[in-house]
Amino acid sequence: MASTHNHNNNNNGCTTHIPKKPKLSPLSSSPFITPSEIQSEFSHHDPSVARINNGSFGCCPASVTAAQHDWQLKYLRQPDNFYFNHLKQGILRSRTIIKDLVNADHLDEISIVDNATTAAAIVLQNTAWAFREGTFQPGDVVLMLHYAYGAVKKSMEAYVTRAGGTVIEVPLPFPVKSSDDIVREFRSALERGKSGGKKVRLAVIDHVTSMPCVVIPVKELVKICREEGVDRVFVDAAHSIGCTDVDMKEIGADFYTSNLHKWFFCPPSIAFLYSRKHPKGGSGSELHHPVVSHEYGNGLAVESAWIGTRDYSAQLVVPAVIDFVNRFEGGIEGIKKRNHETVVEMGDMLVKAWGTHVGCPPHMCASMVMVGLPTCLGVQSDSDALKLRTHLREAFGVEVPIYYRPPRDGEVEPVTGYARISHQVYNKVDDYYKFRDAVIQLVDKGFTCALLSD
C-alpha cells in the first residue's frame, strides 16, 4: 500500500491520504480474503498499467477463470454428456442465484443472455414487432435518455425508427447537481412525447449511465411512467449488479438488464434480462432471442439457454463468483460500499490536485466518478478525448476513459474534459496517484491535445 504523498506544482498543491481499509476479521470460521490473496487473484492483470477503468470491461479473478476452464474441459471431454446432463441444470442454477440477487418473484422472469446490448436488442425487437403488427401506431413514441449507451441508440435506429416509431431523447444536464434536475427533464420530455395525443409506448431508462456516469433515480422515473400511462419501461442497467442497489420489486420496471461481467466478477460475457411476469401471460412469453434456434417458442429463458453450439461457460460460473465475493467482508454489499467510498475519496483527491470538480454529488456515484481535467489540456472534441486517453495509456501506463462535454453558451473557461475513474477490489491508491501525477506532468510541460496527431 502506498505511503502518504505530497505533491506541489506551480498551479495547484495537493495533500492526499490513504483511504481506510476494511477491517479483516473472521466470517464464521474462515478469515476474510487478504490483500495478498486479492493480488494473487488478479495477478494476470498487467502490473505496469494503472487500470482505473473497470467500468468498460470488468474483471475476473483467477479462481473464477479456473472454474470456467473446468466447464470448458467438461464440454470438450464429452460434448454430448455435457449438453444432455450438465448444461441446462448449470444454467438453471445460475438463473436461480440471479433471481435471488435481484429479488425477482419468479424464476421464469430471469433469462441469461450475452450482454446488456443483446438484452436491449430483444426488448427493442419486440417493440418493433408491436409497430409492425399494429399494436402500436406509426408515430407513437419511445423515450430514452440522451446519455443512453451508443449501442442502444443504434438499436433504436435499427428497430424502432425503421418500424415507424418516434424516438425522443431526454436531455440531461452535466455536471449534475441533484436528482431533481433529471426528474424535471424527464417529466418535460414525457410531456413532449404525449403532445398532440401521441402515446408513449416504451421508456428506456439507464440505471447507471456510461459516459458521463451518473446514477439515475430509476425508481422515481418508473413511478412517473406509471402515473403518466407509459405502456412499458425498460431499465438498461449494464453496470448495476455489483455496483449499485438492484431490487426488481422496488424498481418495478417491465424489463431490466445488467451485465455480470462488469462489476460482478464473471468472465465475458454474461448478462441477465428480467421480464416481469404479468397475470395474463408468462414472463418472456412475448420476447424472443434474436438468434433463432431449436428452442424458439419455449419462452425467452429456454431460448436463451441454447442458441446453438458455442461456449456457455461464462453463464455457468455464477456459483463460483458467489464463492469469491463471499470471501470479502459483507459479501457483494460490502464490496459495493467500499468501492463507492474509495472512488469518491479518490475523485476528491484528484479534483483538489487539479483545481477542478467532480461531475455529480457522491450519492449519484456508484463505483465510478467523473473527475474534471484541467482546462489547459484543451479537450475540445470527442477526438481530443480519445487521443488523450490513448496518450495516457501509451506514455504513462494509465487506463482511463475521457469524456468531452461541449461548452454551454456563456460559460467562461468551462471544464470540457472529464475522466471516468472506477474502483474495484484490485485497485490500489497508487493507481490514482499515478494518474494524478501524469496529468500534473502534462500541465507542467504545457501540453495540449492539439499537439497529438490523429
Side-chain angles (χ1 to χ4, degrees), residues 50-58 263 368 389 399-401 420-423 426-427 432:
R51 187 172 182 242
I52 50 179
N53 181 30
N54 192 82
S56 284
F57 299 105
W263 293 97
M368 301 181 290
R389 176 179 183 173
E399 188 61 62
V400 63
R420 187 190 74 186
I421 64 168
S422 300
H423 187 274
Y426 57 80
N427 282 120
Y432 306 92

Side-chain angles (χ1 to χ4, degrees), residues 46-342:
D46 186 342
S48 68
V49 176
R51 187 172 182 242
I52 50 179
N53 181 30
N54 192 82
S56 284
F57 299 105
C59 61
C60 187
S63 57
V64 176
T65 59
Q68 180 184 29
H69 187 55
D70 288 344
W71 279 110
Q72 290 169 330
L73 289 179
K74 186 174 288 189
Y75 165 75
L76 293 170
R77 188 178 296 119
Q78 223 295 40
D80 298 82
N81 182 56
F82 175 85
Y83 173 77
F84 286 106
N85 297 320
H86 297 287
L87 177 60
K88 288 183 180 180
Q89 64 187 41
I91 289 180
L92 184 63
R93 187 179 180 194
S94 292
R95 287 174 55 216
T96 302
I97 292 171
I98 294 167
K99 168 193 170 291
D100 294 338
L101 274 173
V102 304
N103 195 29
D105 277 318
H106 307 284
L107 181 59
D108 58 3
E109 292 177 324
I110 302 295
S111 303
I112 294 179
V113 296
D114 279 357
N115 49 51
T117 303
T118 302
I122 290 169
V123 173
L124 295 178
Q125 176 183 256
N126 176 259
T127 304
W129 287 337
F131 278 104
R132 294 292 191 192
E133 294 168 356
T135 306
F136 299 164
Q137 300 305 309
D140 281 353
V141 171
V142 173
L143 207 66
M144 71 173 173
L145 306 188
H146 173 67
Y147 293 131
Y149 189 57
V152 175
K153 288 189 174 184
K154 291 293 186 182
S155 289
M156 283 285 191
E157 181 183 329
Y159 293 112
V160 176
T161 305
R162 286 186 65 187
T166 297
V167 177
I168 292 180
E169 292 190 13
V170 182
L172 296 181
F174 184 81
V176 184
K177 294 181 180 179
S178 75
S179 296
D180 292 341
D181 297 340
I182 296 172
V183 172
R184 183 171 55 253
E185 292 290 352
F186 190 81
R187 285 189 181 278
S188 176
L190 264 179
E191 288 178 11
R192 292 199 309 274
K194 295 170 65 178
S195 65
K198 296 191 295 288
K199 294 185 178 180
V200 180
R201 296 300 191 172
L202 176 71
V204 180
I205 303 169
D206 298 69
H207 197 159
V208 182
T209 57
S210 176
M211 286 288 268
C213 66
V214 177
V215 177
I216 302 296
V218 288
K219 286 186 282 187
E220 188 167 358
L221 297 191
V222 171
K223 183 173 181 289
I224 291 170
C225 287
R226 300 305 181 203
E227 292 170 351
E228 296 296 327
V230 177
D231 281 15
R232 303 171 181 176
V233 181
F234 169 42
V235 177
D236 176 11
H239 288 274
S240 65
I241 291 291
C243 184
T244 193
D245 295 336
V246 179
D247 187 309
M248 294 302 97
K249 293 188 183 71
E250 288 187 1
I251 293 170
D254 298 285
F255 312 112
Y256 187 106
T257 185
S258 178
N259 293 314
L260 279 75
H261 55 257
K262 282 188 181 287
W263 293 97
F264 197 67
F265 303 104
C266 284
S269 55
I270 172 176
F272 80 89
L273 173 57
Y274 164 87
S275 177
R276 187 173 64 162
K277 190 170 186 176
H278 293 279
K280 294 181 180 179
S283 93
S285 59
E286 298 179 346
L287 302 181
H288 295 285
H289 198 283
V291 177
V292 176
S293 191
H294 296 288
E295 298 290 359
Y296 179 82
N298 291 326
L300 181 62
V302 177
E303 288 183 16
S304 300
W306 181 257
I307 56 171
T309 301
R310 49 158 294 183
D311 185 357
Y312 291 90
S313 59
Q315 302 181 5
L316 298 168
V317 297
V318 177
V321 173
I322 292 295
D323 291 340
F324 174 74
V325 299
N326 284 340
R327 294 165 65 189
F328 290 79
E329 181 179 8
I332 193 61
E333 295 301 319
I335 290 171
K336 285 193 306 187
K337 182 175 184 292
R338 290 186 292 274
N339 281 344
H340 169 72
E341 291 172 350
T342 305

Side-chain angles (χ1 to χ4, degrees), residues 374-381 384-385 388 404 416-417 447-450:
T375 56
C376 60
L377 295 181
V379 180
Q380 300 296 328
S381 65
D384 284 346
L388 179 57
Y404 166 65
T416 56
F447 166 92
T448 71
C449 289

